[in-house]
Amino acid sequence: MAQVQIQFPDGSVRPYDSGTTGYEIAKSISPRLAKVAIAVMVNGRVRDLSYPISSDAPVGILTFDDAAGREVFWHSSSHIMAQAVQELFPDAKLAIGPPIDEGWYYDFDVKKPFSPDDLAKIEKRMGEIIAEDATFSCEERDKQAAIDHYREKGEDYKVELIEDLGDEALTFYAHSRFEDLCRGPHIPRTGIVKAFKLITSSGAYWRGDEKRPMLQRIYGVSYPKKGMLDEYLHRLEEAKKRDHRVIGKQLELFTIGEDVGAGLVLWLPRGARIRNQIENFWREEHLANDYDLVFSPHVANRDLWLQSGHADFYSENMYGAIKVDEREFQLKPMNCPFHITMYKSRLWSYRDLPLRWAELGTVYRYERPGVLHGLMRVRGFTQDDAHHFVARDHMEDELVWILDFCVHMLKSFGFSDYNIFLSTRPEKAIGDPEDWKKAEKGLQSALERSGLPYSIDEGEGAFYGPKIDIQIKDAIGRAWQCSTIQFDFSLPERFDMVYTDSDGQKKRPFMIHRALLGSVERFFGVLIEHYAGNFPLWLAPTQVKVLPIADEFNEYCAKVVDRLKKENIRASLDSRSEKIGAKIRAAEVLKVPYMFVVGGREAEADSVAVRKHGTGDIGVKTVDEAVAFLKAEIESRGIVEQPELSGN
RNA sequence: GCCGGCGUAGCUCAGUUGGUAGAGCAGCUGAUUUGUAAUCAGCAGGUCAUCAGUUCGAGUCUGUUCGCCGGCUCCA
C-alpha cells in the first residue's frame, strides 16, 4: 500500500499508510490524544478526524487547547442545540449557528420567543443527545438538490443561504436525527461535549438587517471538561465585579438617573476628581505639544448645521431645534463647525499651518434607547476633540505626528493593547479619488512608521474621508472605540476654507478630526474596568486616608491632612469613633491607595504607619518621608499592579 | 427602534397559591476610645418605577408609559 509522509508540528516526519485518518494518527501518538482530539489540521486546513490523508502533508491534531479546535467544538455544539430546538419546537426554522469568541449561537425563526424555561428544556434535551454519543458524518449534495430539499421542508433561510453560495457541491453534516447544511468540520462524536450551558436568548435580525425578520438567537458555551465550564462561569462573575456600572456605584464615581434622563451622566465628587486629573493632564500635554486650546458654545444657529451638512445627513442623531427670537438654534452633536468658523474668522498663510485646535467639547447626540450602556454609550458626552488644518504637502507628517501623540496619551493612562483599523474609501464618497489615495497612504504610512499592528477595513471609511480607529479592550473582552483620526474632504469644501500659499494662490487646507480618549465618559468607563477601580495614585479620587486609632489623635491627624493638602495630595481624615479595623475596612472598600494609621507612637515621632491598599502595612515613615514617597509615585503616574482575572 | 428579562428603603436583596411590607449594610442618636478589613444599643427610613384595569381586596394578575439589564442594529 502507498505511504504518505506526515509532518508533525514538532518537525518530525513519519510515514503512514495512504488514507490514514486524523483519528488513527491521533491514536498512534497516544490513546489520551485520541480521546481529546477534536479535528485535524491538514495542509493548513481544518478537517474532520475521519478525513483520509492521501498525500504527504503537514498534519496537526487539534484539541480544545487550539483556537481552531475550540471553534469546531462550539460549532458542533450549536448543531446539537439546533437538534434539541427542532425536536422540541418542530416549527423552528434554522438560520445560522456559528462559533463566537466564547461559545456559539444559533438563530431560529420561531412563532414565540424562547423563555428561560424553554432554555432549560432545550438544555435537558441536549444532554440526552450528547448521551447518545452519536457520530457526526458528512455528505455531499449538489446545489439544486439541496435547494429542493430545504424548500420542501420550508427552511427558507437555508434556501436563501444556498442560493447565495457558489456552484460547487455543498456538504451536509448529520448526527443523531439531525442534519444541517454546513461547511464543517465537526467533532467526531456528540459525547465529547462534557459540559455546556445556554447563556441567554435574544432577538437578532436575519443577516443583521433591521428591515428583515427578527429571529430568536440562543447563546451557549460548551467544554470538554466540567471544570472548564465552572471556570468560565466564575470568570463571568469576576468580570461582572469589574463592570464600570457596579464599581461606579460602589465607589460613588457617577450616577445616571431617570430624573435627569437616560444617557446623561452625573459626575459625583469622587468621579469628578478623577475627571479633573484626566482633563488637567490632557490640557498640559496638549499645550506642551503645540496645540492651542479653544472653547465653543453648546448651541449654534441652525444655519451653521445646514451649511456643515449635519442637519441633513446627521439629523437622526440630533435633538430638535430650540427657538430663540424667531431663529432656530441647534444643540451641538459635533464640535467641527465651531472650529471651522474660528478658522474663517481671519485669513491664514501657509506659514501659519498646521493649526492644531483642541477642545474638550461636550456634544449631545440622540441615541436609540436600547443602545445606551453605562458610561460607554451615552447621550451627552465630552469629546477630547481636535482639528488639524494642514497644507497639502504636510499631511503625512502631520498624521504620523498625531498617531505618535495618540499612543503617548493612551500609554500614559496605562493602555498599550489596541485593535487598530484603517478604514478606506466607501462606495459612496465625496472628494477627489486622488486625494483619497493620498490620505489613505498617509494614514497607512503613519501606521507603518509607528510599528503598530493594524488591519484594513476596506470601504468602511466615512463618506467624507478615510480614518484610523483605535479600540481599547475592557475587562469583559468588549473592545471600545476610543481614539479616532479622521480625514475630512467635505467640510473644508462646504465652508470654502482657504489659506494663501507661498505662490500667493488661495489653496484649500486638509482637515483632520481627531479624538484621543474618544469621549471622557467612555474613556472613564474603560479606565474603571481596566483598573477594576484600583486607580493609579495620580488618578485616585482620595489618595490618602488618615486614620487615628483613637479620638485623642484627631488633632495630630488633622495637621497631617493639612500638610498633605498643601503638597497637593488628596487626603482626608476619618475621625469617627470607630475601631481602627472599621476605619481600615471603610478605606479598603473605597480602594483608597494609601492609609496612614496614627496612634501614640506615630504622633510622638511626627510619623505615620503606612498601609497600602490590597497589600497591608508597609511600615512607619516620617511625614516628610511619606510625602516624598507619595509624590514620587504620583509623578511617575505609575501603573498600579492589577489582580488578574482568574483564568486569564 | 426591535426581541426577551427586570424595576420593593440610599445600597444589596427577601416577600409563599392575591389578604394591610421585611433583613443586612449605609444614615441618625447614645454608649464605647479602640493598633491594621465590620464595637454595642436604640431610632428613623417605602404612594412596592408610573398610570390605568381585573378583584371585596393587587408588591403579587393584565395593559400603558418611563427606566435598567442581555442581545440585534448603530456609534465616541
Side-chain angles (χ1 to χ4, degrees):
Chain A
M1 185 180 266
Q3 289 211 320
V4 291
Q5 299 295 318
I6 302 291
Q7 214 181 98
F8 291 97
D10 63 6
S12 63
V13 178
R14 286 161 67 182
Y16 283 86
D17 290 339
S18 176
T20 299
T21 65
Y23 177 72
E24 284 158 352
I25 292 171
K27 213 161 94 181
S28 75
I29 297 170
S30 80
R32 201 200 75 85
L33 188 62
K35 255 187 175 169
V36 299
I38 287 172
V40 60
M41 178 88 82
V42 183
N43 276 325
R45 274 195 67 181
V46 185
R47 306 280 194 177
D48 293 316
L49 276 185
S50 59
Y51 181 76
I53 301 162
S54 54
S55 61
D56 295 356
V59 167
I61 302 297
L62 298 177
T63 68
F64 197 80
D65 293 336
D66 305 292
R70 281 196 292 277
E71 274 195 21
V72 172
F73 193 86
W74 285 329
H75 188 187
S76 299
S77 303
S78 88
H79 276 224
I80 294 169
M81 182 178 79
Q83 176 183 356
V85 168
Q86 280 205 319
E87 289 183 357
L88 293 166
F89 305 88
D91 293 338
K93 289 183 195 172
L94 302 173
I96 55 167
I100 51 178
D101 284 354
E102 186 90 23
W104 77 87
Y105 67 78
Y106 210 114
D107 287 344
F108 305 93
D109 188 345
V110 280
K111 290 204 178 74
K112 228 179 69 193
F114 299 108
S115 70
D117 282 349
D118 293 337
L119 294 194
K121 277 183 217 151
I122 295 165
E123 278 184 344
K124 188 162 168 264
R125 195 54 186 264
M126 286 176 72
E128 291 161 11
I129 294 164
I130 286 166
E132 288 174 23
D133 202 16
T135 52
F136 278 82
S137 62
C138 178
E139 188 189 321
E140 279 194 8
R141 260 181 239 160
D142 75 40
K143 187 169 174 169
Q144 197 51 51
I147 291 176
D148 293 345
H149 171 72
Y150 273 136
R151 198 159 266 151
E152 192 182 321
K153 290 180 76 172
E155 294 279 10
D156 308 333
Y157 301 98
K158 292 292 181 191
V159 172
E160 185 177 331
L161 285 175
I162 296 171
E163 279 172 343
D164 287 355
L165 289 174
D167 280 330
E168 62 271 30
L170 303 164
T171 54
F172 285 76
Y173 272 82
H175 71 276
S176 184
R177 299 166 296 283
F178 181 79
E179 182 196 67
D180 196 3
L181 166 73
C182 184
R183 190 182 300 124
H186 278 281
I187 58 177
R189 309 176 324 272
T190 60
I192 74 170
V193 176
K194 298 293 185 205
F196 66 94
K197 185 170 172 60
L198 301 186
I199 301 299
T200 184
S201 65
S202 72
Y205 299 108
W206 168 234
R207 296 200 153 173
D209 184 343
E210 57 185 321
K211 290 185 195 72
R212 310 216 48 190
M214 176 160 279
L215 308 173
Q216 294 302 318
R217 174 172 299 178
I218 304 179
Y219 288 89
V221 291
S222 61
Y223 300 92
K225 277 187 203 155
K226 171 88 173 62
M228 294 170 90
L229 174 61
D230 296 341
E231 203 178 278
Y232 169 74
L233 294 174
H234 179 69
R235 215 157 65 226
L236 273 192
E237 284 300 307
E238 289 296 306
K240 230 179 179 173
K241 284 186 205 153
R242 292 191 164 227
D243 190 311
H244 73 280
R245 294 163 301 185
V246 174
I247 292 176
K249 193 167 256 176
Q250 277 168 356
L251 302 192
E252 296 177 14
L253 301 176
F254 67 92
T255 182
I256 302 176
E258 218 168 316
D259 299 332
V260 170
L264 300 171
V265 181
L266 298 168
W267 293 72
L268 298 170
R270 294 171 50 84
R273 278 185 224 159
I274 297 176
R275 176 167 176 167
N276 274 318
Q277 289 310 116
I278 295 172
E279 292 190 353
N280 290 344
F281 174 74
W282 184 93
R283 279 188 205 100
E284 284 161 20
E285 289 300 307
H286 278 70
L287 290 173
N289 284 282
D290 293 325
Y291 273 98
D292 279 307
L293 300 182
V294 297
F295 295 93
S296 49
H298 286 222
V299 293
N301 192 328
R302 198 170 150 78
D303 293 343
L304 184 69
W305 304 105
L306 285 167
Q307 189 177 1
S308 71
H310 290 104
D312 297 321
F313 63 76
Y314 205 70
S315 62
E316 276 181 17
N317 287 292
M318 281 158 60
Y319 289 101
I322 305 163
K323 209 154 193 199
V324 182
D325 293 344
E326 300 305 308
R327 286 181 121 177
E328 287 192 320
F329 283 73
Q330 176 67 51
L331 198 51
K332 69 170 169 181
M334 304 258 182
N335 300 301
C336 358
F338 295 95
H339 293 184
I340 292 170
T341 308
M342 292 178 199
Y343 180 95
K344 301 227 355 156
S345 69
R346 57 161 275 195
L347 292 175
W348 299 94
S349 145
Y350 70 99
R351 295 175 202 275
D352 299 313
L353 305 186
L355 292 173
R356 297 167 179 162
W357 290 350
E359 173 176 9
L360 290 163
T362 303
V363 297
Y364 297 88
R365 300 183 183 172
Y366 173 74
E367 299 288 352
R368 300 151 111 191
V371 307
L372 300 173
H373 177 89
L375 292 174
M376 302 299 200
R377 190 77 182 275
V378 294
R379 283 177 173 165
F381 58 98
T382 300
Q383 289 183 308
D384 69 315
D385 211 353
H387 294 95
H388 294 230
F389 303 109
V390 194
R392 303 173 86 82
D393 325 337
H394 292 110
M395 181 251 290
E396 184 170 329
D397 287 342
E398 191 68 6
L399 287 170
V400 172
W401 187 90
I402 295 175
L403 195 62
D404 205 49
F405 185 56
C406 178
V407 170
H408 160 69
M409 289 294 282
L410 293 178
K411 281 197 173 152
S412 300
F413 287 96
F415 297 108
S416 45
D417 266 341
Y418 326 112
N419 296 334
I420 305 183
F421 302 95
L422 169 60
S423 302
T424 60
R425 191 171 192 275
E427 297 241 335
K428 272 192 198 163
I430 63 151
D432 180 0
E434 279 305 304
D435 283 348
W436 271 85
K437 268 196 198 126
K438 234 169 136 184
E440 287 169 6
K441 199 182 135 270
L443 289 168
Q444 187 158 9
S445 61
L447 284 166
E448 295 290 345
R449 277 159 72 175
S450 72
L452 295 164
Y454 66 96
S455 47
I456 296 183
D457 265 358
E458 209 67 59
E460 288 299 309
F463 73 89
Y464 52 77
K467 61 177 180 174
I468 292 174
D469 286 328
I470 302 180
Q471 296 181 338
I472 299 174
K473 275 197 177 174
D474 74 17
I476 315 171
R478 288 174 302 207
W480 290 100
Q481 190 182 308
C482 291
S483 314
T484 181
I485 302 171
Q486 307 188 351
F487 234 85
D488 195 326
F489 296 118
S490 165
L491 291 177
E493 205 67 41
R494 279 177 169 270
F495 284 90
D496 191 25
M497 298 168 71
V498 291
Y499 66 94
T500 309
D501 206 352
S502 54
D503 57 8
Q505 298 291 307
K506 293 270 191 278
K507 299 228 171 111
R508 183 93 62 223
F510 275 137
M511 176 175 175
I512 304 167
H513 308 258
R514 57 109 271 211
L516 306 182
L517 313 180
S519 87
V520 180
E521 284 75 7
R522 177 179 292 179
F523 190 76
F524 186 39
V526 176
L527 208 54
I528 293 170
E529 301 209 351
H530 184 64
Y531 288 110
N534 299 302
F535 298 104
L537 191 60
W538 75 284
L539 288 173
T542 300
Q543 294 169 314
V544 181
K545 198 93 190 179
V546 181
L547 313 176
I549 65 168
D551 291 353
E552 57 179 300
F553 308 112
N554 283 356
E555 205 178 316
Y556 170 78
C557 286
K559 274 189 203 147
V560 172
V561 168
D562 278 347
R563 168 75 196 284
L564 292 170
K565 283 185 174 165
K566 278 204 186 85
E567 303 280 357
N568 275 323
I569 292 167
R570 295 184 290 280
S572 68
L573 174 65
D574 187 344
S575 59
R576 296 173 304 158
S577 301
E578 288 287 352
K579 288 170 72 173
I580 190 65
K583 294 186 185 185
I584 286 172
R585 185 181 146 78
E588 289 280 356
V589 165
L590 283 178
K591 301 179 192 283
V592 177
Y594 288 100
M595 288 146 271
F596 289 177
V597 178
V598 174
R601 296 197 291 271
E602 290 77 16
E604 270 167 38
D606 204 21
S607 61
V608 292
V610 181
R611 180 187 164 100
K612 190 177 167 129
H613 168 63
T615 303
D617 192 354
I618 58 169
V620 175
K621 292 186 197 298
T622 65
V623 174
D624 286 336
E625 285 168 352
V627 166
F629 172 79
L630 292 175
K631 287 189 120 173
E633 186 173 331
I634 292 167
E635 205 88 346
S636 74
R637 274 186 282 104
I639 309 309
V640 176
E641 280 168 40
Q642 290 303 299
E644 283 290 314
L645 276 180
S646 50
N648 271 8

